[in-house]
């Protein structure tokens, strides 16, 4: 309190002496008085000004001090305090209102920008001109696996693809947007459509905007489409060429030999049936993928379906010396489409019998409970050739065959597993596979239990 008084007194005296000296000097010059009278006038003016300020300054100093304290704390000055300051208070009130509106607008824009960046599928990174990262949206953090403390780190400190870094450097050097496709091999293959543009202010580069879009799924779908067209063309070309050659052989005289004619006609029938099966499989797969399948959901006895499927393949299995068994509780049931379930099991058992040279094929079913709920799991196991690990990720693709020569020899098209997968997923389930080369494979059908 004492310090405040001393400070106020010193300030008052200084202002008073200055104002009084100036006023007295002006009067003495205007009136052209003598030096003693001028000095007396200066002293009297200073004393009078000091007295006036001693009464006026405290009433003005206190509101200023309270205003300063409020602003330092970030608090809005009270209306009473602003009224005490008069015109100055009115100006401060207008400035405070304008400042609040500006801050609110900036907050709303920032929130909107953050919401947009969070929802974008494209990866976005913003850096300063020296490469220091100041912003990265969640898509960028996930795509490039950025560390949690990526902010204020340089691009060179982050494990970013070389192609992206090259685009950023070219954008800075040329001061022009750069774009290109980036192929990442490690740790997993990815294809990116990347874009780098310099952020210019008055012609000077102040930062870099990096945008990357993951094209991996599109690339894979494009490759699958190409493979599909090529495979369909190949599968149709072979039987068509065979039918043509057989027909030409008959026309060239083969029809005159009864034995040759019968053999050729039998071959024509077999190739026609093969083409028919291929077309039926393609049409069925198209119906499933289009979502136009009509499902007849009902409570189905798993035992009845398994018995029906196994009965179809008993003859073929016995001809190869295989044993087909099943282990299913009589009371196990699941709500699903019986025809779809029978087709799924038929495709799996058919493959198991085809690719098992000796041993057995077993179908087991049980109800299990996981963190995702209750499931009815049907396992189709065999002691066949097995599937190499590198082929497992693609085993459910259309026309994909591990051993193309053997599959074609056995009459397969590579569509059975793809159809089974689409049917299971359409019924709300999933299909998995475990396999070991030379020891066999186990395909598991997971169907949700007790779900409408």
């Amino acid at each position: 309190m004492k310090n405040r008084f001393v400070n106020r007194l010193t300030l008052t005296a200084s202002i008073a002496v200055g104002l009084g000296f100036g006023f007295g000097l002006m009067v003495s010059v205007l009136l052209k008085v003598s030096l003693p009278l001028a000095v007396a006038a200066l002293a009297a003016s200073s004393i009078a000004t000091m007295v006036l300020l001693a009464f006026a300054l405290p009433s003005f100093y206190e509101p200023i001090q309270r205003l300063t304290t409020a602003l330092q704390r970030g608090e809005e000055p009270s209306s009473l305090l602003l009224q005490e300051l008069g015109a100055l208070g009115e100006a401060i009130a207008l400035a405070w209102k304008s400042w609040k509106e500006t801050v609110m607008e900036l907050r709303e824009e920032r929130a909107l920008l953050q919401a947009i960046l969070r929802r974008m599928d494209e990866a976005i990174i913003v850096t300063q001109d020296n490469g220091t990262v100041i912003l990265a949206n969640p898509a960028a953090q996930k795509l490039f696996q950025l560390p949690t403390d990526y902010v204020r780190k340089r691009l060179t400190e982050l494990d970013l693809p070389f192609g992206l870094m090259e685009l950023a450097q070219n954008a800075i050097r040329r001061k022009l947007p750069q774009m290109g496709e980036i192929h990442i091999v490690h740790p997993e293959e990815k294809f990116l459509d990347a874009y780098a543009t310099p952020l210019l202010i008055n012609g000077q580069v102040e930062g870099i905007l990096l945008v990357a879009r993951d094209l991996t799924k599109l690339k894979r779908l494009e490759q699958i489409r190409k493979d599909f067209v090529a495979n369909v063309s190949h599968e149709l070309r072979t039987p068509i060429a065979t039918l043509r050659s057989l027909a030409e052989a008959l026309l060239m005289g083969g029809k005159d030999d009864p034995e040759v004619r019968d053999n050729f006609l039998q071959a024509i029938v077999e190739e026609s049936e093969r083409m028919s099966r291929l077309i039926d499989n393609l049409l069925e797969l198209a119906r499933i993928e289009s979502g136009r399948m009509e499902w007849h959901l009902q409570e189905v006895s798993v035992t009845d379906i398994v018995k029906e499927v196994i009965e179809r393949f008993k003859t073929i299995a016995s001809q190869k010396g295989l044993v087909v068994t099943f282990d299913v509780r009589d009371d196990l049931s699941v709500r699903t489409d019986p025809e779809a379930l029978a087709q799924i099991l038929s495709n799996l058992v058919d493959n198991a019998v085809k690719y098992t040279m000796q041993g057995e094929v077993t179908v087991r079913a049980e109800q299990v409970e996981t963190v995702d709920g209750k499931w009815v799991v049907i396992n189709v196991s065999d002691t066949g050739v097995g599937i190499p690990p590198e082929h497992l990720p693609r085993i459910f693709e259309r026309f994909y065959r591990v051993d193309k020569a053997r599959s074609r020899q056995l009459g397969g098209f590579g569509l059975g597993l793809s159809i089974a997968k689409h049917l299971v997923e359409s019924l709300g389930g999933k299909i998995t596979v475990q396999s070991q080369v030379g020891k066999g494979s186990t395909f598991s059908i997971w169907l949700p239990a007790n779900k409408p």
Side-chain angles (χ1 to χ4, degrees):
M1 189 73 179
K2 182 177 180 181
N3 292 336
R4 290 178 59 189
F5 177 77
V6 172
N7 293 336
R8 185 186 305 171
L9 183 62
T10 303
L11 178 63
T12 303
S14 302
I15 295 175
V17 171
L19 292 176
F21 182 82
F23 180 74
L25 182 62
M26 182 181 64
V27 172
S28 63
V29 171
L30 291 175
L31 298 179
K32 298 180 180 180
V33 297
S34 62
L35 181 60
L37 290 176
V39 172
L42 290 174
S45 175
S46 298
I47 293 172
T49 305
M50 186 182 299
V51 172
L52 290 174
L53 289 176
F55 288 98
L57 190 59
S59 61
F60 186 74
Y61 180 82
E62 285 291 346
I64 291 292
Q65 191 73 7
R66 284 187 277 127
L67 175 64
T68 303
T69 303
L71 293 178
Q72 287 176 344
R73 293 177 179 175
E75 301 173 353
E76 182 179 0
S78 64
S79 57
L80 181 61
L81 174 59
L82 296 177
Q83 288 177 2
E84 292 182 34
L85 294 174
L88 177 61
E90 294 178 2
I92 292 174
L94 291 175
W96 181 270
K97 182 180 179 182
S98 176
W99 178 79
K100 282 181 64 177
E101 291 175 352
T102 302
V103 170
M104 185 63 67
E105 290 177 0
L106 290 175
R107 287 178 178 174
E108 291 176 354
E109 291 178 1
R110 181 181 179 85
L112 178 61
L113 176 61
Q114 290 178 344
I116 293 174
L117 291 176
R118 281 196 301 268
R119 298 297 184 273
M120 290 185 68
D121 294 330
E122 291 80 5
I124 296 177
I125 298 177
V126 181
T127 73
Q128 296 176 340
D129 58 338
N130 60 359
T132 302
V133 177
I134 58 177
L135 183 147
N137 68 340
Q141 299 174 37
K142 181 179 179 182
L143 179 62
F144 300 120
Q145 298 181 354
L146 301 180
T148 54
D149 58 342
Y150 68 89
V151 179
R152 297 303 171 188
K153 284 192 173 184
R154 293 180 180 271
L155 288 177
T156 52
E157 299 179 67
L158 304 176
D159 189 17
L160 296 178
F162 174 78
L164 189 65
M165 298 292 295
E166 190 175 22
L167 287 178
Q169 292 174 359
N170 291 336
I172 293 176
R173 185 169 60 253
R174 300 174 184 175
K175 295 185 179 181
L176 291 172
Q178 305 293 315
M179 61 184 64
E181 187 173 294
I182 300 174
H183 182 199
I184 303 175
V185 179
H186 183 78
E188 59 178 324
E189 187 177 37
K190 288 183 179 179
F191 296 90
L192 305 180
D193 181 23
Y195 177 85
T197 183
L199 303 178
L200 301 176
I201 299 180
N202 297 326
Q204 297 297 321
V205 178
E206 298 294 334
I208 294 292
L209 171 65
L210 299 174
V211 181
R213 186 161 60 101
D214 193 351
L215 300 178
T216 306
K217 290 184 178 179
L218 292 177
K219 286 285 185 180
R220 289 175 180 170
L221 288 174
E222 182 181 356
Q223 187 61 44
I224 290 174
R225 181 184 61 81
K226 291 180 180 178
D227 292 343
F228 175 76
V229 173
N231 285 320
V232 170
S233 301
H234 177 75
E235 294 293 344
L236 289 175
R237 187 183 297 114
T238 301
I240 289 174
T242 303
L243 290 174
R244 181 177 179 178
S245 62
L246 291 173
E248 289 176 349
L250 289 173
L251 290 174
M252 292 174 63
K255 63 179 182 298
D256 299 328
D257 187 336
E259 184 177 355
V260 172
R261 181 185 59 203
D262 293 342
N263 290 335
F264 280 13
L265 290 176
Q266 182 62 35
I268 289 174
V269 170
E270 292 175 356
E271 291 299 328
S272 300
E273 289 178 351
R274 177 180 171 83
M275 290 181 60
S276 179
R277 289 198 306 272
L278 173 60
I279 293 172
D280 289 342
N281 287 338
L282 290 174
L283 291 175
E284 185 170 8
L285 190 58
R287 283 198 302 270
I288 297 171
E289 291 181 339
S290 66
R292 294 197 297 267
M293 288 285 290
E294 293 185 5
W295 305 106
H296 303 284
L297 300 179
Q298 55 187 280
E299 201 69 24
V300 177
S301 170
V302 178
T303 304
D304 293 343
I305 298 293
V306 171
K307 285 182 179 179
E308 176 188 339
V309 171
I310 289 179
E311 194 64 32
R312 296 179 191 173
F313 296 94
K314 264 190 175 181
T315 303
I316 300 175
S318 62
Q319 291 175 356
K320 296 181 65 175
L322 302 178
V323 178
V324 182
T325 61
F326 69 94
D327 180 13
V328 185
R329 290 199 332 258
D330 292 337
D331 60 343
L332 184 61
S333 63
V334 63
R335 183 172 177 78
T336 186
D337 187 306
E339 292 185 5
L341 180 57
Q343 183 172 2
I344 295 167
L345 286 174
S346 295
N347 290 353
L348 297 181
V349 174
D350 184 25
N351 280 349
V353 172
K354 281 180 180 178
Y355 296 101
T356 302
M357 301 302 108
Q358 60 182 359
E360 62 179 355
V361 175
T362 305
V363 180
R364 293 186 177 89
E366 61 180 340
Q367 181 170 312
V368 299
E369 186 170 357
T370 67
V371 293
D372 299 327
K374 293 182 179 180
W375 301 84
V376 171
V377 183
I378 307 174
N379 299 310
V380 179
S381 305
D382 61 62
T383 57
V385 295
I387 305 170
E390 63 270 18
H391 293 281
L392 289 176
R394 301 187 60 188
I395 198 67
F396 294 104
E397 292 181 8
R398 292 173 294 184
F399 290 108
Y400 189 83
R401 289 174 288 201
V402 177
D403 189 340
K404 295 183 179 180
R406 179 179 292 178
S407 297
R408 192 170 291 111
Q409 182 182 0
L410 296 174
F413 301 109
L415 292 173
L417 290 179
S418 181
I419 292 174
K421 178 178 180 291
H422 281 84
L423 285 173
V424 171
E425 292 179 349
S426 298
L427 293 171
K430 56 186 177 180
I431 185 169
T432 59
V433 58
Q434 294 179 340
S435 185
Q436 191 172 356
V437 177
K439 293 188 177 181
S441 307
T442 298
F443 286 84
S444 300
I445 306 166
W446 296 69
L447 295 175
N450 302 327
K451 284 190 178 181

